């Protein structure tokens, strides 16, 4: 037992020498650095090679992308386009991507060109471009189908972009078409309204319609007597309002704006008043020069006393109808126009008289001058004595 203890103590007092591997560690560190550098160089050259492959592949793909004719043929047949390159190599992937980009750009251009061409043709023919929407959808689907399987994401993008483009163009052109069509309707209606208002034809126009044969009458079956059931001015008043209503209803129907309808209404009222005033003026012109003042006074008095007055009943039927088919305020306008017309006639007569006097005086002056010249010549003659 004692021997075992002494042995353990001897072992405990045994000192083992320290072993230093510094040189080996330095050599290993140097190998690691060399390996790292080699890896970096390898990576660098690999990237260089990959970059070069991408460039060359992109150039190849762009140069060998399907032509415009091949795209059209694929669209017509419903087949997928055949693209250069592949999906597993750097070179092939770059070639395929470049070809897809070129195809996308070409198809986009072709689609837009076709859309714009169809819209232009429809505009020239004055057709509604909204009818082209289905055609454009079919066109877009046909082009997208050429690379649906090759690049589903790009095909979806194409459909979305071209769908928005076509819709925007159709909407814009449709709005322009609707506006153009409305403007044409308005212009046509306005031209017809102007002709109706201003025509002095005996067969058509507002004047003929209103101041033609307007008396409402009935015939006594037993006696054959024709009886006027309404005074002419009442009949005409109703016709004026009815024609105005029809005219403005038509203006609204063709799409005239509120301001345009108001302008037409004012033009109608002004033309009616002009017709009424002209009828009275024309009757005054028919009067002899000595009766025009009397006629003016009768019209003025009739306006003051009303349509049932004796002086109003004594006026010509057309004059009475013209005066009292208008509003009370406008009757004074007719009287003022009549006075102006009468004054103009008197002015013209005075001017005519003045002109005739001037001509006569000039003739007398010329005669006197000529006589005096002849007298001087006579007195200066050698045998005057």
């Amino acid at each position: 037992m004692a021997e075992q203890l002494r042995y353990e103590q001897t072992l405990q007092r045994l000192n083992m020498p320290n072993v230093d591997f510094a040189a080996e560690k330095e050599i290993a560190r140097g190998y690691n650095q060399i390996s790292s550098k080699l890896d970096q160089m390898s990576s660098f050259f690999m990237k260089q090679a990959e970059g070069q492959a991408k460039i060359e592949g992109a150039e190849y793909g762009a140069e060998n992308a399907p032509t415009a004719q091949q795209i059209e043929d694929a669209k017509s047949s419903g087949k997928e386009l055949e693209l250069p390159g592949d999906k597993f190599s750097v070179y092939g992937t770059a070639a395929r991507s470049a070809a897809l980009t070129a195809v996308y750009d070409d198809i986009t251009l072709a689609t837009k060109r076709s859309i714009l061409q169809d819209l232009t043709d429809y505009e020239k023919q004055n057709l509604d471009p909204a009818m082209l929407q289905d055609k454009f959808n079919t066109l877009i689907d046909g082009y997208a189908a050429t690379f649906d399987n090759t690049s589903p994401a790009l095909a979806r993008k194409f459909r979305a972009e071209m769908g928005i483009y076509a819709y925007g163009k159709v909407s814009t052109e449709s709005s322009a078409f609707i506006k153009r069509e409305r403007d044409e309707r308005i212009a046509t209606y306005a031209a017809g309204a102007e002709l109706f208002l201003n025509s002095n034809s005996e067969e058509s126009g507002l004047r003929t319609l209103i101041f033609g044969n307007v008396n409402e009458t009935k015939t006594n079956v037993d006696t054959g007597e024709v009886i006027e059931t309404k005074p002419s001015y009442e009949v005409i008043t109703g016709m004026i309002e009815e024609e105005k209503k029809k005219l403005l209803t038509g203006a609204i129907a063709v799409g005239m704006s509120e301001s345009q309808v108001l302008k037409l209404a004012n033009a109608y009222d002004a033309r009616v008043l002009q017709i009424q005033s002209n009828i009275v003026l024309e009757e005054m012109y028919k009067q002899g020069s000595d009766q025009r003042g009397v006629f003016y006074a009768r019209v003025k008095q009739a306006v003051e006393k009303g349509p049932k007055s004796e002086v109003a009943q004594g006026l010509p039927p057309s004059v009475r109808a013209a005066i009292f088919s208008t509003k009370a305020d406008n009757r004074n306008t007719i009287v003022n126009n009549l006075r102006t017309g009468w004054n103009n006639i008197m002015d013209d007569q005075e001017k005519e008289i003045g002109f005739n006097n001037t001509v006569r005086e000039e003739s007398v002056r010329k005669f006197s001058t000529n006589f005096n010249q002849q007298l001087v010549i006579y007195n200066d003659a050698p045998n005057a004595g």
Side-chain angles (χ1 to χ4, degrees):
M1 187 70 175
E3 290 178 357
Q4 183 178 0
L5 180 60
R6 285 195 301 271
Y7 178 76
E8 289 179 354
Q9 290 176 350
T10 300
L11 288 177
Q12 290 176 359
R13 287 194 299 268
L14 181 64
N15 292 324
M16 297 295 295
N18 292 328
V19 180
D20 188 0
F21 296 99
E24 287 78 3
K25 290 180 179 180
E26 189 63 30
I27 293 172
R29 186 181 299 110
Y31 285 144
N32 288 336
Q33 289 177 352
I34 292 172
S35 177
S36 177
K37 293 292 183 181
L38 290 174
D39 289 341
Q40 290 176 5
M41 290 177 64
S42 176
S43 176
F44 172 77
F45 288 119
M46 285 293 292
K47 288 181 179 179
Q48 287 288 95
E50 183 179 340
Q52 185 64 30
K54 286 182 178 179
I55 294 172
E56 293 177 356
E59 290 177 349
Y60 178 81
E63 292 174 357
N64 293 275
T67 64
Q69 185 59 52
Q70 288 173 328
I71 292 173
E72 292 299 324
D73 291 342
K75 180 174 77 72
S76 300
S77 63
K79 295 180 179 179
E80 287 271 330
L81 286 168
E82 294 184 5
L83 301 177
D86 54 53
K87 296 181 179 180
F88 49 85
S89 67
V90 173
Y91 179 92
T93 302
R96 188 178 183 82
S97 177
L100 268 174
T101 300
V103 166
Y104 187 88
D105 292 342
D106 290 343
I107 289 178
T108 298
L109 178 61
T111 303
K112 289 183 176 180
R113 183 186 294 119
S114 180
I115 289 172
L116 293 177
Q117 182 62 52
D118 286 341
L119 289 173
T120 301
D121 291 342
Y122 262 53
E123 183 178 358
K124 290 179 180 178
Q125 300 176 59
N126 200 28
L127 299 174
D128 186 359
M131 296 187 295
L132 287 170
Q133 187 63 63
D134 290 341
K135 180 179 180 180
F136 291 161
N137 291 339
T138 302
L139 174 72
I140 294 169
D141 286 339
Y143 277 123
T146 61
F147 56 101
D148 257 334
N149 295 328
T150 304
S151 180
L154 203 59
R156 286 194 297 271
K157 178 184 176 184
F158 174 79
R159 281 192 172 91
E161 288 183 350
M162 289 300 96
I164 293 172
Y165 177 83
Y167 178 78
K169 288 295 182 181
V170 169
S171 297
T172 300
E173 292 300 322
S174 294
S175 298
F177 172 80
I178 292 171
K179 183 180 182 301
R180 187 166 59 249
E181 192 177 54
R182 184 183 68 246
D183 290 345
E184 290 176 357
R185 289 198 309 268
I186 291 174
T188 301
Y189 189 83
E194 183 178 3
L195 181 63
F196 172 72
L197 293 179
N198 297 326
S199 175
N200 289 317
S201 170
E202 296 182 357
E203 298 179 357
S204 62
L206 181 62
R207 173 167 178 154
T208 301
L209 180 65
I210 293 178
F211 294 104
N213 184 18
V214 294
N215 287 342
E216 286 191 5
T217 60
K218 66 178 182 179
T219 303
N220 190 307
V221 179
D222 298 328
T223 64
E225 181 183 4
V226 178
I227 303 173
E228 184 179 350
T229 58
K230 275 189 178 182
S232 294
Y233 74 88
E234 292 182 2
V235 177
I236 293 175
T237 298
M239 292 183 66
I240 290 172
E241 292 301 320
E242 183 63 26
E243 285 303 314
K244 182 178 182 180
K245 181 179 178 181
K246 287 166 57 178
L247 187 68
L248 299 186
T249 300
I252 294 172
V254 298
M256 281 192 177
S257 65
E258 183 178 350
S259 60
Q260 289 174 321
V261 173
L262 179 60
K263 184 178 180 180
L264 182 59
N266 292 336
Y268 181 89
D269 293 340
R271 177 56 179 161
V272 168
L273 180 59
Q274 183 185 46
I275 291 172
Q276 293 163 332
S277 184
N278 286 346
I279 287 174
V280 180
L281 282 169
E282 289 166 6
E283 187 62 34
M284 183 185 70
Y285 293 148
K286 294 177 184 178
Q287 307 294 317
S289 58
D290 59 335
Q291 294 296 316
R292 287 169 183 155
V294 176
F295 178 80
Y296 166 74
R298 288 173 59 199
V299 169
K300 186 174 183 296
Q301 190 177 15
V303 169
E304 293 171 351
K305 294 188 175 181
K308 302 296 184 180
S309 64
E310 182 178 352
V311 65
Q313 293 297 319
L315 292 173
S318 61
V319 173
R320 186 172 69 251
I323 294 173
F324 296 108
S325 62
T326 189
K327 298 176 182 178
D329 292 342
N330 288 337
R331 293 170 193 171
N332 293 326
T333 301
I334 293 177
V335 173
N336 292 334
N337 290 341
L338 186 64
R339 182 175 62 250
T340 300
W342 181 34
N343 291 335
N344 289 339
I345 291 174
M346 290 190 294
D347 289 343
D348 290 342
Q349 289 176 341
E350 290 178 1
K351 290 177 182 178
E352 184 178 359
I353 293 172
F355 176 76
N356 292 335
N357 287 338
T358 300
V359 172
R360 184 174 63 255
E361 291 171 358
E362 180 65 15
S363 297
V364 171
R365 187 188 66 77
K366 288 182 178 179
F367 177 79
S368 298
T369 300
N370 186 54
F371 176 78
N372 291 333
Q373 289 175 346
Q374 293 300 322
L375 182 60
V376 170
I377 293 172
Y378 176 77
N379 290 333
D380 291 342
N383 59 349

